[in-house]
Amino acid sequence: MPNKETSCLCGSEIKYSLCCEPFHNKESTPTTAEALMRSRFTAYANKNETYLLETWSKSKRPEKIDFSKEEAIWTKLDIVKTKKGTKKDSKGIVEFKAYYTLEDEPYVMNEISRFIKIKTTGDWRYYDGIVKSVAKANQQTNQGKNAPCSCGSGKKFKRCCGK
């Protein structure tokens, strides 16, 4: 379980108790696709299967999430960009970078996720996603800071994973 008094793992720089915890405890629901993405990242990092399944679109939802082989330690989330996904929208796209450590090596996964809003309740749900790239987070350092970032963002390494 995350420490309630430290910054939330989702990258908001807000305490977990004021950020994603109310979503995880069903005290409130995310009002944007980005907020749902952030709460799902934190839930995934903490192996909160119940929350992940409840916030997954029924048409795409698996029956179970198998964390038994999950060895990665998820450390950070960066939102790259969003398209729609606001309170007034019915669909949204969130591109993000999720950082993790595996066997003491840092990695970054760049994904584009789609979200939909349930018409009857107004609740956001994760629909599906496409992984653009997975790479060692420090893989680019030999290429120089002005080289394109290997995570696929289209930015220079120094402005992306090299921060």
Side-chain angles (χ1 to χ4, degrees), residues 45-117:
N46 292 297
K47 298 177 171 75
N48 184 342
E49 180 184 34
T50 301
Y51 183 79
L52 291 168
L53 292 174
E54 287 174 352
T55 59
W56 209 314
S57 171
K58 286 183 181 181
S59 65
K60 296 282 189 168
R61 179 184 332 165
E63 287 187 32
K64 181 176 174 28
I65 300 172
D66 184 8
F67 286 110
S68 67
K69 296 177 184 162
E70 178 69 43
E71 297 176 17
I73 299 169
W74 297 90
T75 57
K76 179 180 160 186
L77 177 72
D78 283 336
I79 301 298
V80 175
K81 64 183 172 183
T82 60
K83 183 176 180 182
K84 297 193 176 187
T86 66
K87 291 178 185 180
K88 64 179 182 172
D89 296 314
S90 61
K91 296 179 182 179
I93 296 174
V94 179
E95 181 178 353
F96 65 92
K97 292 180 187 174
Y99 295 82
Y100 63 96
T101 303
L102 182 63
E103 297 177 356
D104 294 325
E105 293 285 337
Y107 290 85
V108 60
M109 177 186 74
N110 187 204
E111 181 176 314
I112 298 173
S113 292
R114 296 189 302 170
F115 296 84
I116 58 171
K117 190 188 290 183

Side-chain angles (χ1 to χ4, degrees), residues 19 58 88 134 136 142:
C19 189
K58 286 183 181 181
K88 64 179 182 172
V134 176
K136 284 191 175 181
N142 294 335

